[in-house]
Amino acid sequence: MFIEGLLAQARERLVVIGDGAPLIEAAKLLDNGADLVPVCDAAGRLAGVITKTDVVAQISGCQGVSCTTAAALVMTRDVVTCQSKDALTDVWARMKERHIKNLPVVDETYRPLGVVHARDILQVLLSESKIEEALLRDYVMNVGYR
């Protein structure tokens, strides 16, 4: 299976802000349930992401007006992404390797399409595994074969 099968769920999680937006906007989106906020440049391409960890790290050093920092100054720029044509097993491997639970889905021009969660991928991979197990069991037991 491919990420394309999870795009509907991923689109529901997508909330973006511009790179010039104040960090407080990202904090509000994160407080409203988002786990990851993609930050886009003026052309709408992914420039980075902001997580709760990024916000907390910035706020902990906040003094006076520094809390109005632009999102672009706080965001993580080294972003692992995936595309709709990527296999779930490959995306899962990338997520495990980098220890991340949310991943932006982007198109060919690097515009965000959604945010996929590790839970979504694991549910699909688990159900595929159960189907393969049932097929193997039926094969070994000679069920449905002549």
Side-chain angles (χ1 to χ4, degrees), residues 126-137:
L126 181 62
S127 67
E128 285 180 356
S129 170
K130 287 180 180 179
I131 291 169
E132 287 178 14
E133 179 184 337
L135 289 172
L136 182 60
R137 184 186 64 241

Side-chain angles (χ1 to χ4, degrees), residues 101-143:
K101 65 178 183 174
N102 296 289
L103 205 63
V105 181
V106 296
D107 64 12
E108 300 79 27
T109 61
Y110 224 58
R111 286 183 168 74
L113 298 175
V115 175
V116 70
H117 195 284
R119 179 179 50 247
D120 301 333
I121 295 173
L122 286 175
Q123 285 176 339
V124 172
L125 293 176
L126 181 62
S127 67
E128 285 180 356
S129 170
K130 287 180 180 179
I131 291 169
E132 287 178 14
E133 179 184 337
L135 289 172
L136 182 60
R137 184 186 64 241
D138 290 349
Y139 176 75
V140 169
M141 296 179 73
N142 203 23
V143 174

Side-chain angles (χ1 to χ4, degrees), residues 40-57:
C40 295
D41 62 15
R45 290 183 301 269
L46 185 69
V49 295
I50 294 179
T51 64
K52 290 179 183 177
T53 304
D54 297 323
V55 172
V56 170

Side-chain angles (χ1 to χ4, degrees), residues 46-120:
L46 185 69
V49 295
I50 294 179
T51 64
K52 290 179 183 177
T53 304
D54 297 323
V55 172
V56 170
Q58 179 63 29
I59 298 293
S60 67
C62 235
Q63 295 178 357
V65 295
S66 69
C67 290
T68 59
T69 302
L73 298 175
V74 178
M75 69 185 181
T76 301
R77 294 178 188 276
D78 180 23
V79 181
V80 178
T81 63
C82 64
Q83 293 187 336
S84 59
K85 66 182 187 296
D86 292 346
L88 291 180
T89 52
D90 296 339
V91 174
W92 174 242
R94 275 185 259 161
M95 293 175 85
K96 278 186 359 185
E97 180 182 305
R98 295 284 296 262
H99 305 286
I100 52 180
K101 65 178 183 174
N102 296 289
L103 205 63
V105 181
V106 296
D107 64 12
E108 300 79 27
T109 61
Y110 224 58
R111 286 183 168 74
L113 298 175
V115 175
V116 70
H117 195 284
R119 179 179 50 247
D120 301 333

